[in-house]
Amino acid sequence: MQDIVVDPGAHNRAAWDKLVRDGNEWSRPVSTGDVERARDGDWSIVLMGHEPLDRSWLPADLTGKDVLCLASGGGQQGPILAAAGARVTVFDNSPGQLGQDRMVAERDGLELRTVLGDMRDLSAFGDAAFDVVFHPVSNCFVPDLAPAWRGCFRILRPGGTLLAGFINPDAYLFDPDALDERGELVVVHKLPYSDVTHYTAEERAAKFGADGALEYGHTLTEQIGGQLAAGFVLTGFAEAPHQSDASAEYMSHYFATLAVKPG
């Protein structure tokens, strides 16, 4: 059904810049109070949905650790990790999202670097540059994951960790209108899913808005198998329901993995 050639990077950059202007929940920066508490060791961030991260997935002491917040702009996770002592770089496709991180850093006196780019191209960073890659739910906005996993493996130091959150591909089976408007789980899509292949441009505009972000429902082979193929060893797995829609009663909407680059 794909009707036109779409550049997902360019399209979703513009879409997320608009979401920042519209006050999307994933673009609302943390408060000064949140930053101060993080400086005192009292902090929480999310890797998938609204589920607080299991802090045992990160080093017990973040002081001096080099952390890449991958596709994680919005002024949320990056500033908290910086306040907790990490040397943080936030990498994101949206200038607007990165602007939220810079705003928090300037407001609260944090050392934090921002870099603009697509998660599938991490050539801005050298080999073995980071101890941790923190990658919350965001790879649904690119059509291919293998370059991202290979890039993460390359830029991590031996023994470094990749924390990745992602959407359960089964969540894309359902008709969004029935789910959002009537709370019904109506199966309409075959997997793997893509906004571009499952709808025409006119249908997308009617359902999500012409400037809505494009999403891609990746298989578990792409998500978990892709990490393994890149060389990672998986050491942790978690799941969580959606925080608001009708699927929460029946299935996990989000998954998260903890993976290690062998030392």
Side-chain angles (χ1 to χ4, degrees), residues 83-95:
R87 290 193 294 257
V88 173
T89 299
V90 181
F91 185 83
D92 200 278
N93 187 43
S94 162

Side-chain angles (χ1 to χ4, degrees), residues 131-150:
D131 300 295
V132 175
V133 173
F134 185 87
H135 180 44
V137 177
S138 55
N139 64 33
C140 53
F141 299 114
V142 295
D144 49 332
L145 301 185
W149 299 139
R150 290 194 298 267

